[in-house]
Amino acid sequence: MSTKPKHYPLFSLFCGFVLFMVSLAALSPVAQAASNIIEFPIPTASSRPALMTIGPDGNLWFTEQDGNKIGRITPTGTFTEFPVPTASSAPTGIVTGPDNNLWFTERDTHKIGRLTPAGVFSEFSTGLTVNSSPLLISTGPDGNLWFTENDGNKIGRITPAGLITEFSIPTINSRPISITTGPDGNLWFTEDTANKIGRITPAGLITEFNLPIAGSRPSVITSGPDGNLWFTEADGNKIGKITTAGLITEFPIPTTNSQPVGICTGPDGNLWFVESSGNKIGKISTAGVISEIDLPTANSRPGVIITGPDNKLWFVEQVGNKIGTLTNLTVTPDPLIVNRSGDDGAGTQIGTLSYALKTAQVGQNISFNLAGEQKISVSGALPPLKPGVNITAPCVAGKPAVTIDGSSLAIIPKTDGLVISGGSRLTGLRVTNFSGSQIRVSGPGNHLICIGLQR
């Protein structure tokens, strides 16, 4: 095992030839029925799995940093392991290349490796800066492989034939970590200590964008389903979104000090991420609504997450030494809290009722934490309540505790208060002074409990 200091949260305690191939039957998985998580123990003890990708053969391939192997697991849980030719190489990043081979980085021996699905290795170092510590690797829009050099402070490019070209990052000691192809045909990468998101064109032109909060430590970046790039902030404890024009938005994670690392687009159209210190898997919608789920193995240190060939989510457990899969993507989201007494109906401010109405998901609950008078003054038409979303306020002595007041509205024609379709439950609300209906109800399966209406 290398004694080299680790500078990146994701992977700290975070000439070819055919090698002997070790195949093992699937070990007995450990299932958690409540969250539909299945875990498969890796055959090599303390292997410290790092990155994972879908292989050209329909299996999942992953790197074993301390095991010095490339692992393969079928969607049913059968493992095969391939020892890397160079000892103590600390294989880290891995991706399927345009040539249908697996390409990976050797962090500690400063090489780029290639592995065929049949188990034939090749290693490349010519043209790579000495002691560069190549870290993560991705396919580019130009038919080449692109990778970060964590100590070399460069972005590298390698052709399928093994020709390496390097591009220096303008900010010194930026410690780039993750890289991915964006929807704009450029490569986007994270700069850990520089606290920036970088963009590099296939021709090598680099642009950098500062994160709003110092010391956020951006970690892994991925293309989202909405045409933006999404990334984790390991120390900022947030999920970030950056447009291709460079506009950054951040979303706080409910669990404090969770140390988010890996992130991917899920098959359900949401972004999924792992919390290394929080020991959880998180889900964030493109509107920024976050929910979390606990992992069954304590202190497992999840590191990366991807959508597998079976349309399920797969992740590595670095300390747990397992490969996990989430078989059911239905996670009950945390409640949305309304804590602002003023509301213009736009739904752009977190904490307003209109924001909660606009971003709530099916099965989610909207509740209240208002200071002083339990009243919300509405000055703009509220978004309709989505089907299956509930609004819950206290009912004190048989009377609703929270008032939604539309007296500040000056909208013509008549404006309704709350507009509800099917399958929702409202409790503890007094809706008043709207020019139209105080609550307009349509669709079956609605339940109104302890509700007051007054024009």
Side-chain angles (χ1 to χ4, degrees), residues 303-343:
V304 73
I305 187 167
I306 69 168
T307 297
D310 53 359
N311 253 8
K312 297 176 183 177
L313 291 167
W314 289 78
F315 56 95
V316 303
E317 299 181 19
Q318 292 186 291
V319 174
N321 203 50
K322 298 173 182 176
I323 302 296
T325 181
L326 180 62
T327 60
N328 186 347
L329 302 188
T330 303
V331 180
T332 301
D334 293 330
L336 284 171
I337 307 298
V338 177
N339 54 23
R340 291 178 178 263
S341 57
D343 198 321

Side-chain angles (χ1 to χ4, degrees), residues 32-204:
Q32 186 190 44
S35 58
N36 299 289
I37 289 177
I38 300 175
E39 298 172 309
F40 300 94
I42 297 171
T44 298
S46 302
S47 69
R48 196 174 297 281
L51 269 293
M52 183 161 46
T53 191
I54 300 175
D57 56 354
N59 296 310
L60 296 114
W61 293 72
F62 59 96
T63 52
E64 300 180 25
Q65 276 192 323
D66 288 354
N68 202 49
K69 298 175 182 178
I70 304 299
R72 181 182 68 199
I73 181 172
T74 68
T76 56
T78 300
F79 284 93
T80 306
E81 295 176 296
F82 305 83
V84 176
T86 302
S88 302
S89 69
T92 302
I94 188 169
V95 71
T96 295
D99 57 352
N100 286 328
N101 292 312
L102 285 305
W103 288 79
F104 61 96
T105 60
E106 300 182 20
R107 187 196 68 199
D108 286 0
T109 50
H110 318 290
K111 299 178 183 179
I112 303 299
R114 183 181 64 199
L115 174 65
T116 71
V120 179
F121 278 94
S122 303
E123 295 172 304
F124 305 92
S125 60
T126 301
L128 193 59
T129 296
V130 176
N131 298 325
S132 61
S133 299
L135 206 58
L136 268 62
I137 188 168
S138 176
T139 54
D142 57 351
N144 295 309
L145 290 302
W146 292 73
F147 56 92
T148 55
E149 298 182 24
N150 192 253
D151 286 340
N153 202 49
K154 297 176 182 179
I155 300 299
R157 180 184 68 200
I158 184 169
T159 69
L163 179 63
I164 293 175
T165 307
E166 296 177 316
F167 304 91
S168 295
I169 296 172
T171 301
I172 62 171
N173 299 321
S174 69
R175 293 207 174 274
I177 294 182
S178 174
I179 188 167
T180 192
T181 295
D184 57 349
N186 295 311
L187 285 299
W188 291 75
F189 58 95
T190 57
E191 300 180 29
D192 179 25
T193 57
N195 207 51
K196 298 177 181 181
I197 301 298
R199 179 184 67 202
I200 182 170
T201 68

Side-chain angles (χ1 to χ4, degrees), residues 393-415:
C395 188
V396 181
K399 296 181 179 180
V402 173
T403 297
I404 301 174
D405 183 13
S407 58
S408 297
L409 278 167
I411 297 177
I412 299 174
K414 292 182 178 180
T415 302

